[in-house]
Amino acid sequence: MSDRILTIPNAISFIRLLAIPYFWWVLLAQERVGLAAGLIFLIGGTDWVDGVLARRLDQVSEFGKLLDPVADRLMISSALIGGMIAGVVPAVIGWPLLAREALVGGSAVLLFSRGLGQLDVRPAGKVSTFLIYGGIASFYFVAADISTWLFAPPAWIAGVVGLILYWWVAMQYMADVRQRLSSLESPSRNQEV
């Protein structure tokens, strides 16, 4: 793993970050829900691309391990918040996902602020993120009245399954956080327990 910042995968992650303000403008200023859905789908797809390229090109970096999840968290949160504002994402899916984002994001910031690194991405976390991106984008396509017969079932299936898996992985992350935070305890305190 390198300390390089200028890599192809990091450039892709950075482009994903730059696409978020454009997503907000398309959704709220232009009210083009179908285009917003396409952006979510495209940005979600590049989440897999940057990871694959990082491994294949031997460009895995510490910066990339931080930038990729930040881009994911910001895009998913934007799609959820924007979707609930626009009446696109059902609250029963949106609020639990936002709560999970706040929990995991806050925990990641806590670890980083204490010098304990970042949370390592889990394969199940990647799968759940993929499902969440697909489910949210599908809700947007349904709201835009684009092939409702095609997107409504995956919206709910990917949304519910992704939500459950997302929270299951969050509990694994919380165990990681507890373990790292306990490593800060003094040896004498550990002996008292």
Side-chain angles (χ1 to χ4, degrees), residues 11-81:
I12 292 170
S13 293
F14 187 68
I15 291 168
R16 288 168 50 211
L17 279 174
L18 292 177
I20 294 170
Y22 179 64
F23 163 81
W24 279 101
W25 180 69
V26 164
L27 178 64
L28 298 180
Q30 292 193 331
E31 297 181 358
R32 295 178 64 191
V33 176
L35 180 56
L39 286 169
I40 296 167
F41 198 74
L42 181 65
I43 293 167
T46 61
D47 178 37
W48 288 83
V49 171
D50 59 7
V52 169
L53 286 176
R55 289 183 291 280
R56 287 203 178 147
L57 299 174
D58 195 26
Q59 294 184 351
V60 175
S61 67
E62 286 296 328
F63 182 72
K65 287 177 70 176
L66 180 66
L67 183 62
D68 177 62
V70 167
D72 282 339
R73 302 292 68 85
L74 289 175
M75 184 63 235
I76 290 172
S77 296
S78 292
L80 289 170
I81 293 167

Side-chain angles (χ1 to χ4, degrees), residues 90-175:
V92 71
I93 297 288
W95 285 114
L97 287 174
L98 282 174
R100 190 270 192 195
E101 290 296 326
L103 176 67
V104 173
S107 299
V109 169
L110 176 66
L111 286 182
F112 190 76
S113 69
R114 296 206 177 175
L116 297 173
Q118 65 243 0
L119 292 170
D120 292 325
V121 176
R122 296 176 175 269
K126 282 294 202 184
V127 171
S128 64
T129 300
F130 177 77
L131 288 169
I132 294 303
Y133 269 126
I136 294 170
S138 294
F139 281 119
Y140 273 75
F141 283 126
V142 169
D145 204 24
I146 298 172
S147 300
T148 306
W149 62 271
L150 178 64
F151 288 107
W156 284 102
I157 294 168
V160 170
V161 172
L163 176 62
I164 293 166
L165 186 56
Y166 219 42
W167 270 99
W168 180 67
V169 173
M171 293 303 104
Q172 293 176 335
Y173 286 143
M174 292 307 97

